[in-house]
Amino acid sequence: MKGRLKSSGSTAKKGRLLKIAAGCLILLVLAAAGFNLTKEKAKSQETKDTVAELQEDIQKKENKGWELIEENPLKENTDTAIEQAVHDYYEQKTSENGFAEGYNNLTIYLKKARYEDCYIAFVKYTMKIKDIYTEVPGMETLYLRKEKGKWQILSEGAEDEILQEAEEVASHDDVQQFMAGVQQDYAGAVASDAMLAEVLTDLEQASSR
């Protein structure tokens, strides 16, 4: 959640994995899990989608006080539908990266996004790297939106407005404390396993080439 490890991905891909696994950095991922349009289809539907989005935006209701920590504290998720959507997202991610055996111990914390039926999710996990015993603590920031009664995880191609929402709530003290805890867990894992530290160092060097 970047000797040399072999991976089915490119060097650039290893770099993205390093940010998830080793950097404890916030990675905002935006695109619908399980809903992938080809570039050709996306282009042909661009005008139609733009009109539909504008019509949808008109009907959106804003969450009052979403940008204030007092009115929008970080809360652990209790919605089973959100939990399932996030689990499905990480299962797909595991099958695609060819590097991690799995993302375990998922814990989902939520803050309301600007509009109703939208959340900024801060997901804590441990990632199992192939052939490495110690799992890597990490976290990822996701944008969730309910569409037609189902929670979607939006990815690839973040809109400026969405990025600004995520940055706004990520600056809250409770989120900063949460991030610090993940960073501490990560540092402890690396310090406890020399092989893990070596692998992560190799990945970092590969990603910088």
Side-chain angles (χ1 to χ4, degrees):
M1 152 203 125
K2 279 205 269 161
R4 186 181 307 168
L5 285 183
K6 292 184 179 180
S7 171
S8 61
S10 64
T11 299
K13 188 173 182 181
K14 290 180 180 178
R16 291 195 295 271
L17 288 170
L18 179 65
K19 290 181 181 178
I20 297 170
C24 289
L25 299 176
I26 298 305
L27 176 62
L28 178 61
V29 180
L30 304 167
F35 184 71
N36 297 313
L37 291 175
T38 63
K39 291 183 178 179
E40 291 73 20
K41 288 182 180 179
K43 288 179 181 179
S44 67
Q45 294 186 5
E46 183 176 353
T47 301
K48 184 190 296 183
D49 292 343
T50 300
V51 172
E53 288 171 3
L54 288 173
Q55 292 174 338
E56 181 182 354
D57 287 343
I58 294 173
Q59 300 174 353
K60 284 181 180 179
K61 293 183 180 179
E62 187 168 313
N63 287 314
K64 184 178 179 180
W66 69 272
E67 74 281 14
L68 303 175
I69 187 173
E70 296 82 6
E71 298 188 36
N72 190 16
L74 188 67
K75 294 182 178 180
E76 187 168 356
N77 173 61
T78 58
D79 187 318
T80 56
I82 288 179
E83 181 178 359
Q84 187 61 55
V86 172
H87 276 266
D88 291 346
Y89 166 79
Y90 279 102
E91 285 185 5
Q92 181 177 346
K93 189 170 185 174
T94 300
S95 68
E96 292 176 349
N97 66 30
F99 177 78
E101 290 184 352
Y103 294 82
N104 305 315
N105 304 310
L106 296 176
T107 308
I108 307 163
Y109 293 88
L110 302 174
K111 275 186 177 281
K112 294 177 184 178
R114 181 172 184 174
Y115 297 107
E116 287 186 355
D117 292 329
C118 296
Y119 287 99
I120 308 295
F122 300 92
V123 184
K124 181 180 178 180
Y125 58 78
T126 57
M127 186 180 73
K128 178 65 173 67
I129 299 175
K130 292 178 180 179
D131 302 322
I132 301 297
Y133 176 78
T134 302
E135 297 189 8
V136 184
M139 66 167 294
E140 189 170 359
T141 303
L142 305 175
Y143 187 92
L144 288 86
R145 180 169 64 197
K146 183 178 283 188
E147 297 179 354
K148 298 181 180 180
K150 293 185 178 180
W151 288 103
Q152 302 290 335
I153 297 175
L154 304 182
S155 63
E156 298 201 8
E159 300 172 6
D160 288 343
E161 182 180 3
I162 289 175
L163 289 171
Q164 289 171 3
E165 290 178 31
E167 291 173 356
E168 183 75 37
V169 298
S171 68
H172 292 175
D173 287 344
D174 51 5
V175 177
Q176 291 294 310
Q177 291 175 6
F178 174 71
M179 293 180 188
V182 176
Q183 291 174 336
Q184 186 175 10
D185 292 343
Y186 166 78
V190 174
S192 71
D193 191 326
M195 185 174 293
L196 172 63
E198 182 179 354
V199 167
L200 294 176
T201 297
D202 289 343
L203 285 174
E204 184 174 11
Q205 292 175 348
S207 68
S208 62
R209 292 171 184 167

